[in-house]
Amino acid sequence: MEVVEAVKTQAQVQEVARKLVLNAKGNTLYADLWTFGLQVALRISDLLTITYDEALTGRIQIKESKTGKMRSIKLNAEALEVVQQRRKAHPDHTYLFEVDSNRAKGKPVSRVAVATAFKAVGDELGIQLGTHSMRKTRGWLMHSAGVSIEMICKVLNHSSPAITMAYIGLTQAEIDSTYDEFVIRVRA
């Protein structure tokens, strides 16, 4: 499995969304998926199963396909805006991220198609971007904002903070920088 990275700045997050729309020739499917995925931090396999019926309630109750754990996720204003815009644009769709092609009518976009779209944008920006980057980015940006590793661990539904730290990509250089940032003065 190829390693993917978190997007580490708000500017890059917005650039990814912008390029996803450009590369899809104005179709917002992948940018909407990116935006929504950043808000809920679900794995792609779970994201693609979300229906409008679930999303319009403002809370998603989902059994994670990988872990079998139940999750309850409150949709924030950004996530709800994606849901409402997509519903308005696609009133006949069942899935939040459904495709319009005749070949796949009534089905969500494929994981492979999402991975391909994300990889293309990542290649343009010099980032190892993949479907898991949404989860990693949310974790990284929460960490950068000062949210505790334990809380991020809960949000990502990890079994331990150590897994979360490795997952969001804390590097040795970032750990080393804390020794300069937090100097404990002993001598006057």
Side-chain angles (χ1 to χ4, degrees), residues 29 52 86 90 92-100 104-109:
L29 174 68
Y52 282 111
R86 291 202 58 77
H90 308 283
D92 57 330
H93 285 187
T94 300
Y95 294 97
L96 184 55
F97 302 108
E98 190 170 314
V99 292
D100 285 321
K105 198 78 173 153
K107 294 181 182 175
V109 64

Side-chain angles (χ1 to χ4, degrees), residues 157-171:
N157 217 4
H158 287 159
S159 58
S160 78
I163 291 171
T164 301
M165 289 187 294
Y167 183 80
I168 64 174
L170 286 177
T171 65

